[in-house]
Amino acid sequence: MSELLVYIDGEFVPESQAKISVFDHGFLYGDGVFEGIRAYNGKIFRFWEHIDRLYDSAKTINLDIPIKKEEFAKIIVETLKRNNLKDAYIRPIVTRGVGDLGLDPRKCKKPTIIVITKPWEKLYGSLYERGLKAVTVTVRRNPVDSLPPNIKSLNYLNNILGKIEANVKGGDEAIFLDVHGYVSEGSGDNIFIVKKGVVITPPAVNSLPGITRQVVIELLQKLKIPFKEINIGLYDLYTADEVFVTGTAAEIAPVVMIDGRIISDGKPGKITRLLMEEFKKLTETEGVPIYE
């Protein structure tokens, strides 16, 4: 089987030869931004929303992406075509570029642009049917006045520390609290609860404003299911009728246990399952075609 090709600064190279400089500030300091995008059956789901968020993240860290959104989109499509992929995970990356060993981004003269594409299977496998076991972690989510979590930057150490703790505790996913003790998000996804027929999620202030999160909100409006964005705490998690997480990689995944507490009857809930079905329908019909 031939190697997949990776796009790096104008060239398509086999993944075993895909390299960047050790002086790239994305490697040295996590100075850069990225996106995670999904393609389903030859269509890229919520493509332009992801492109917009990539450029918004870059603008927030004062990183000027040297090509327009339309050109970046064409590069992503071309990478998928060259790899003959229809169902894929797509990882566009923009780093600050090559500089010196100092922190000053002005020493980086040109950003590095990378696009990685991979065939994709379900992140949680059979757990979509059984449900995830989640654990809250002692690592707090970065405060918004320190490193805003709503920037999708290459600096993911906060997330990784939480994931390490979840692994040690035997959890499938980590749940972060913010510095005030409110529920923030998972290590790579947003969190929703259901209580007495109302779906609730924390405001996207102490968390990444997920694209899949927004899709779920739209589905709730379409299905006329009551919805609130309010702060929630551990009590709300433990006593919820249903809990689920959302993300590009995770899609919609039910959570049936948190910190050893069984959520309701310990099975994926009715509203969660309905949303999973509706989301699947969307991915089968929506999207920007790769092959035309």
Side-chain angles (χ1 to χ4, degrees):
M1 184 177 176
S2 60
E3 287 188 81
L4 292 170
L5 298 175
V6 176
Y7 175 90
I8 304 180
D9 286 340
E11 297 184 9
F12 292 92
V13 297
E15 57 183 341
S16 63
Q17 300 173 34
K19 299 175 175 65
I20 63 168
S21 168
V22 295
F23 291 98
D24 192 299
H25 278 212
F27 168 72
L28 288 173
Y29 301 115
D31 187 1
V33 296
F34 77 98
E35 270 298 317
I37 311 173
R38 291 287 298 279
Y40 296 89
N41 195 29
K43 293 180 180 180
I44 307 174
F45 188 65
R46 297 292 167 117
F47 194 15
W48 291 108
E49 287 91 332
H50 282 285
I51 294 291
D52 287 342
R53 189 171 68 176
L54 178 71
Y55 277 74
D56 286 345
S57 292
K59 185 173 184 179
T60 306
I61 67 169
N62 201 29
L63 172 57
D64 185 20
I65 300 177
I67 58 175
K68 294 187 179 299
K69 293 180 182 180
E70 292 74 16
E71 185 178 349
F72 210 132
K74 288 178 181 177
I75 291 169
I76 290 172
V77 170
E78 182 62 24
T79 308
L80 287 165
K81 284 182 177 178
R82 292 197 182 212
N83 288 312
N84 195 29
L85 293 175
K86 292 184 177 180
D87 295 281
Y89 180 81
I90 307 156
R91 174 62 60 87
I93 304 166
V94 185
T95 77
R96 189 76 63 177
V98 176
D100 60 17
L101 291 178
L103 293 173
D104 194 342
R106 294 175 298 181
K107 300 293 181 67
C108 304
K109 301 304 180 186
K110 180 185 176 186
T112 302
I113 296 177
I114 302 166
V115 178
I116 304 168
T117 57
K118 287 277 189 180
W120 191 253
E121 297 179 359
K122 284 186 174 294
L123 179 65
Y124 290 119
S126 62
L127 292 178
Y128 289 94
E129 296 299 322
R130 303 200 313 269
L132 280 66
K133 297 178 181 178
V135 293
T136 56
V137 294
T138 57
V139 179
R140 288 296 190 257
R141 197 66 179 100
N142 289 324
V144 295
D145 56 352
S146 178
L147 180 61
N150 41 18
I151 300 172
K152 201 168 178 68
S153 79
L154 296 179
N155 193 323
Y156 251 49
L157 192 55
N158 186 225
N159 306 63
I160 291 167
L161 288 173
K163 187 64 175 175
I164 290 170
E165 187 174 337
N167 290 342
V168 171
K169 291 179 174 179
D172 302 308
E173 177 56 306
I175 295 177
F176 283 92
L177 306 180
D178 66 16
V179 294
H180 302 293
Y182 291 117
V183 174
S184 174
E185 60 183 337
S187 66
D189 37 50
N190 295 114
I191 298 174
F192 288 77
I193 68 170
V194 183
K195 188 68 173 179
K196 296 181 179 178
V198 179
V199 179
I200 303 168
T201 194
V205 176
N206 294 325
S207 63
L208 186 75
I211 305 296
T212 308
R213 175 185 184 274
Q214 182 58 39
V215 172
V216 166
I217 292 171
E218 293 170 12
L219 285 173
L220 292 170
Q221 293 169 341
K222 173 188 170 185
L223 297 167
K224 297 183 179 176
I225 296 173
F227 166 72
K228 291 182 182 179
E229 278 185 293
I230 56 174
N231 284 324
I232 59 175
L234 289 177
Y235 173 86
D236 303 297
L237 288 181
Y238 298 155
T239 61
D241 299 323
E242 302 178 39
V243 179
F244 61 90
V245 294
T246 65
T248 299
E251 300 179 312
I252 301 173
V255 177
V256 297
M257 181 181 288
I258 300 174
D259 295 340
R261 280 83 161 173
I262 295 174
I263 305 303
S264 190
D265 62 358
K267 298 177 182 178
K270 180 180 178 181
I271 291 177
T272 302
R273 287 186 278 109
L274 174 61
L275 290 169
M276 292 170 71
E277 292 169 6
E278 292 296 321
F279 181 80
K280 187 174 185 296
K281 290 177 185 177
L282 275 185
T283 63
E284 292 171 347
T285 56
E286 281 193 13
V288 175
I290 302 167
Y291 305 93
E292 292 184 303

